[in-house]
Amino acid sequence: MTRISIDPITRLEGHGKIEIFLDAAGEVAEAFFQVPELRGFEQFCVGRMAEEMPLITNRICGVCPEAHHMAASKALDALFAADPPPAAKKLRELLYCAFFVTDHTTHFYALGGPDFIIGPDAPPAERNMLGVIRKVGLDVGKEVIACRARNHQVIKTVGGRSIHPVAGIPGGWSRPISHAERDEIVASARKNVEFARFTLKLFDDLVLKNPVYRELLGSETYTHRTYYMGLVDGEGRPNLYDGTVRVVSPDGSELSRYHPDQYAEQIAERVVPWSYLKFPYLKKVGWQGVVDGPGSGVYTASPLSRLNVADKMATPLAQQEFERFFDTLGSGRTGGRYLPVHSRLATHWARLVELLYAAERMLELALDPEITSTDLRAKPGPVTGRGVGCVEAPRGILTHHYEADQRGVLTRVNLIVGTTNNYAPMALSIKKAASRIITGGKVVEEGMLNRIEMAFRLYDPCLSCATHAFGKMPLKVTVRDASGAVVHEVERG
């Protein structure tokens, strides 16, 4: 059997590798997406004081500390029975929208976008941010950098630091903003709206008007029919900060809708011996392996998922793009919603619709008269023993679950990170892409391997956040001689 390794995989946050095994005929017999890194936050946070969690978990990685800071703060709201005042919730969401703008911008221009803007078969040395700047022009590159700079300034103003914010506390927010700071944020939000509209226009010109890329968008190679999950508000609109979880089936019908606090009744987590990442799946449907279809509990939580579960968008310009997205790629409506789009490469487009939504929502919040209020904290009550906090991270739903004793000392921590939700879909995408691209002993070229990498890169995985021990870590060491025969095995767990 021939083995092909893509190690390390590139343009993602964290570390991972892909192992592809070919049979004697040169066909793909198996493919594995392995995550060999371990962070272990769920274990070493046990025994810490619960109120430290917003500051500890936002160190999980440098890419999405805002998401962990926010989920941890919301979990503490529940753990200490302290519902934040309206102004505190608005400040949290304001920071969060700025974070979404900068994060989605990074993925499109630096991580996923080069596959389209430069081309999937271009030399690796050109498929990067510098290659993008050469293609679209230096002025666009300056706008990308300016977008990230102004939004990190907003995060610093609202959250206390440009990365690893510190303002989240049980029952509220520790830092009010002045009227002068609010005015600066309004100016930044207006620029974000224009930048998002420009980026969508760029996507139109470079991707949607290119017949090769349009064919890729509709390709069965990058299509899976899974369940989808996302937070929605009371009107069925995506909400990045709060809401209830809606799960829809591959045919678009609603499977379930629940409060995030009930996640353990809906989601199970499967552990495998060859990776540190867990495989979450839907309990109602069950685990049938890494396969798609209505009989498989595999679900996806991503920008595409958030559009697939939504009735509509909450802001006017994003609503226009939402309708254009489904009118272009969809095939009808069911139950008041568009039928799901199953093309995984459409996630890139969905991410840009969200970029525009986050920019518009940021502007709405900055213009809200209550945003400068100093009434930002509710008095914490006695420890309830359990708290669950949930937000939409750029990569998917992020859940923090804490249990603590009466002193507030943590006795259990569980995290289901955005990328973790998508482990099974990513593995599914990689195997399908490999099986269709590497066939009949065809000579494997670098461009072909990149098309396989595109299958996971579209999910924007953040493996630094996603790898955590679940109970005792199973470990098996196998020693083989030169002929491949097993001569010794050591097993733990």
Side-chain angles (χ1 to χ4, degrees):
M1 183 172 287
T2 302
R3 175 174 177 171
I4 301 171
S5 296
I6 307 176
D7 184 17
I9 51 179
T10 58
R11 279 184 279 140
L12 78 162
E13 297 89 1
H15 304 282
K17 65 176 181 177
I18 296 172
E19 299 281 5
I20 301 169
F21 295 88
L22 307 183
D23 60 21
E27 303 290 338
V28 173
E30 193 53 87
F32 295 99
F33 178 29
Q34 290 182 289
V35 182
E37 63 176 321
L38 170 67
R39 302 300 296 272
F41 271 70
E42 290 165 316
Q43 295 301 311
F44 68 67
C45 287
V46 172
R48 306 289 302 194
M49 297 303 295
E51 60 262 34
E52 297 175 351
M53 292 302 279
L55 303 183
I56 293 176
T57 58
N58 71 3
R59 260 68 175 183
I60 287 178
C61 84
V63 176
C64 35
E66 295 85 357
H68 289 284
H69 188 67
M70 211 60 73
S73 299
K74 293 183 70 176
L76 294 185
D77 296 342
L79 187 66
F80 292 99
D83 187 32
K89 293 179 180 177
K90 290 174 182 176
L91 277 174
R92 287 180 178 184
E93 188 178 356
L94 174 61
L95 178 146
Y96 211 57
C97 287
F99 160 58
F100 252 77
V101 169
T102 188
D103 195 279
H104 277 0
T105 296
T106 299
H107 185 268
F108 179 71
Y109 286 99
L111 301 178
D115 290 327
F116 290 102
I117 297 174
I118 308 300
D121 299 322
E126 297 177 12
R127 287 196 310 265
N128 51 44
M129 182 68 186
L130 294 178
V132 170
I133 291 174
R134 276 194 293 272
K135 183 72 176 286
V136 301
L138 184 59
D139 289 341
V140 176
K142 289 179 179 177
E143 286 298 320
V144 173
I145 294 170
C147 175
R148 285 184 49 79
R150 67 173 170 266
N151 285 290
H152 276 286
Q153 180 58 48
V154 171
I155 291 169
K156 182 179 181 180
T157 298
V158 179
R161 297 183 60 174
S162 60
I163 59 170
H164 304 141
V166 295
I169 51 178
W173 200 250
S174 66
R175 191 184 190 288
I177 60 171
S178 67
H179 287 85
E181 289 170 331
R182 188 269 306 276
D183 292 344
E184 292 176 3
I185 294 170
V186 167
S188 292
R190 293 191 194 283
K191 290 179 182 177
N192 287 345
V193 173
E194 293 310 309
F195 178 78
R197 298 180 74 181
F198 165 79
T199 303
L200 278 157
K201 176 69 166 54
L202 189 68
F203 187 82
D204 267 7
D205 294 340
L206 295 180
V207 179
L208 298 181
K209 293 179 181 176
N210 184 318
V212 175
Y213 295 158
R214 280 298 299 269
E215 184 178 348
L216 273 178
L217 274 176
S219 168
E220 189 63 24
T221 300
Y222 298 103
T223 297
H224 306 302
R225 293 161 182 83
T226 65
Y227 288 83
Y228 298 97
M229 176 184 290
L231 279 178
V232 294
D233 66 15
E235 298 183 42
R237 306 174 301 186
N239 191 301
L240 305 177
Y241 173 75
D242 211 354
T244 55
V245 179
R246 174 184 273 170
V247 181
V248 302
S249 66
D251 67 5
S253 58
E254 183 175 288
L255 175 73
S256 58
R257 188 164 176 174
Y258 59 91
H259 189 278
D261 185 66
Q262 301 168 313
Y263 85 96
E265 300 167 21
Q266 304 287 332
I267 304 298
E269 300 173 76
R270 186 178 180 83
V271 178
V272 295
W274 45 267
S275 179
Y276 285 118
L277 212 55
K278 297 177 285 188
F279 282 100
Y281 63 95
L282 299 169
K283 282 186 175 179
K284 280 186 179 179
V285 186
W287 176 258
Q288 306 298 330
V290 182
V291 295
D292 62 355
S296 168
V298 169
Y299 67 91
T300 308
S302 67
L304 176 63
S305 304
R306 291 190 281 259
L307 297 196
N308 278 340
V309 304
D311 296 339
K312 56 186 176 181
M313 301 297 288
T315 57
L317 295 177
Q319 174 63 23
Q320 293 176 18
E321 292 297 331
F322 176 83
E323 292 173 3
R324 191 166 69 93
F325 174 88
F326 282 102
D327 288 343
T328 303
L329 301 177
S331 56
R333 301 176 71 96
T334 180
R337 294 193 307 281
Y338 286 101
L339 290 168
V341 168
H342 298 297
S343 167
R344 295 308 156 103
L345 288 177
T347 307
H348 293 293
W349 189 359
R351 189 172 285 114
L352 298 185
V353 176
E354 282 196 338
L355 171 64
L356 181 55
Y357 163 71
E360 286 187 285
R361 180 62 181 150
M362 179 180 170
L363 182 57
E364 286 180 353
L365 290 163
L367 291 172
D368 189 316
E370 199 173 27
I371 203 71
T372 52
S373 170
T374 57
D375 179 18
L376 296 178
R377 189 176 191 188
K379 184 179 179 181
V383 176
T384 63
R386 181 178 184 273
V388 175
C390 180
V391 293
E392 285 284 3
R395 291 139 196 93
I397 286 183
L398 167 64
T399 302
H400 280 212
H401 172 189
Y402 308 150
E403 295 180 12
D405 62 20
Q406 291 184 339
R407 300 169 298 165
V409 177
L410 291 167
T411 56
R412 180 174 181 243
V413 175
N414 190 37
L415 311 178
I416 300 182
V417 178
T419 294
T420 309
N421 294 295
N422 297 321
Y423 193 20
M426 286 191 289
L428 189 63
S429 295
I430 288 167
K431 184 174 182 180
K432 189 170 186 179
S435 299
R436 287 174 172 262
I437 292 171
I438 302 174
T439 58
K442 191 185 301 180
V443 175
V444 179
E445 300 170 341
E446 203 286 328
M448 296 166 64
L449 296 182
N450 185 58
R451 286 174 186 260
I452 296 170
E453 286 193 79
M454 286 171 62
F456 80 80
R457 197 176 288 130
L458 65 90
Y459 295 94
D460 190 18
C462 185
L463 301 178
S464 303
C465 289
T467 55
H468 307 284
F470 183 69
K472 185 182 291 185
M473 182 185 73
L475 177 66
K476 183 177 182 180
V477 178
T478 303
V479 181
R480 300 175 184 270
D481 64 18
S483 68
V486 176
V487 296
H488 189 62
E489 281 189 340
V490 179
E491 189 169 357
R492 184 185 74 193

